[in-house]
Amino acid sequence: MNLLQYTSKEMFSSTELIRKSKMVFDKLSNNEIEKAVILRDGKPSFILLDFDKYETIIEDYERLQKENKKLKEKKNQIPQPSKESDNNILKNKKEEEISSDELEKALAQIDKLDMDLEKKIESNQKQEALKDFWE
């Protein structure tokens, strides 16, 4: 059941609703359509639902509200970390940090990889130029 999307068979102008209300109500009660979208000036303005469907939607809404409230209460009951645990986390992060020497070595290796890649690209371009020349 998707109440936010509707098809052309579910759309009725307000004039059509006045003239053919029995037909629209019959389609709703016989489940030929799940909703009737009433148009005013060509734009959706109202929606008609079977009352049983409306009750189901409201029951689901209320159930979801209760579940959401319970989840919020559980979230509030989770103990917040103390300052000691925050300090431990910071210490662990400091232990994970790399030294400046290691950083320089890593950057040098990255530069070397970049140069190797540039050399490969240049050699590939030269080979392609030679192929074009000979062809």
Side-chain angles (χ1 to χ4, degrees), residues 6-131:
Y6 44 90
T7 62
S8 59
K9 70 178 184 177
E10 296 174 323
M11 295 187 296
F12 303 93
S13 69
S14 55
T15 306
E16 189 176 10
L17 178 65
I18 292 169
R19 291 182 185 156
K20 301 178 181 179
S21 60
K22 183 180 179 340
M23 183 256 321
V24 173
F25 295 141
D26 286 343
K27 283 186 174 188
L28 284 167
S29 63
N30 294 334
N31 292 324
E32 290 178 38
I33 56 175
E34 74 176 336
K35 63 197 164 292
V37 179
I38 310 305
L39 308 172
R40 291 189 72 177
D41 299 324
K43 297 178 184 174
S45 295
F46 302 97
I47 191 164
L48 296 174
L49 295 171
D50 181 63
F51 193 75
D52 292 334
K53 283 187 184 179
Y54 170 77
E55 284 182 326
T56 304
I57 291 170
I58 295 301
E59 287 170 0
D60 289 345
Y61 174 74
E62 289 173 348
R63 180 183 48 79
L64 289 170
Q65 270 189 323
K66 287 177 185 177
E67 288 177 14
N68 191 24
K69 187 177 179 181
K70 287 178 185 177
L71 287 174
K72 284 182 180 179
E73 289 172 359
K74 283 183 181 179
K75 184 178 178 183
N76 290 337
Q77 291 175 354
I78 296 174
Q80 299 298 321
S82 65
K83 288 187 178 181
E84 284 183 24
S85 64
D86 288 344
N87 289 336
N88 289 337
I89 292 170
L90 290 174
K91 286 179 185 176
N92 289 339
K93 284 186 179 179
K94 287 181 183 176
E95 291 172 1
E96 292 174 4
E97 292 178 5
I98 61 172
S99 68
S100 60
D101 291 338
E102 291 173 333
L103 178 63
E104 287 177 21
K105 287 179 185 177
L107 290 174
Q109 289 176 349
I110 291 172
D111 287 339
K112 184 180 175 186
L113 289 173
D114 287 342
M115 290 183 147
D116 291 343
L117 181 62
E118 288 174 7
K119 287 179 185 176
K120 287 181 182 178
I121 290 172
E122 287 176 10
S123 67
N124 285 342
Q125 288 174 347
K126 287 179 185 176
Q127 287 176 354
E128 289 176 7
L130 287 174
K131 285 180 184 177

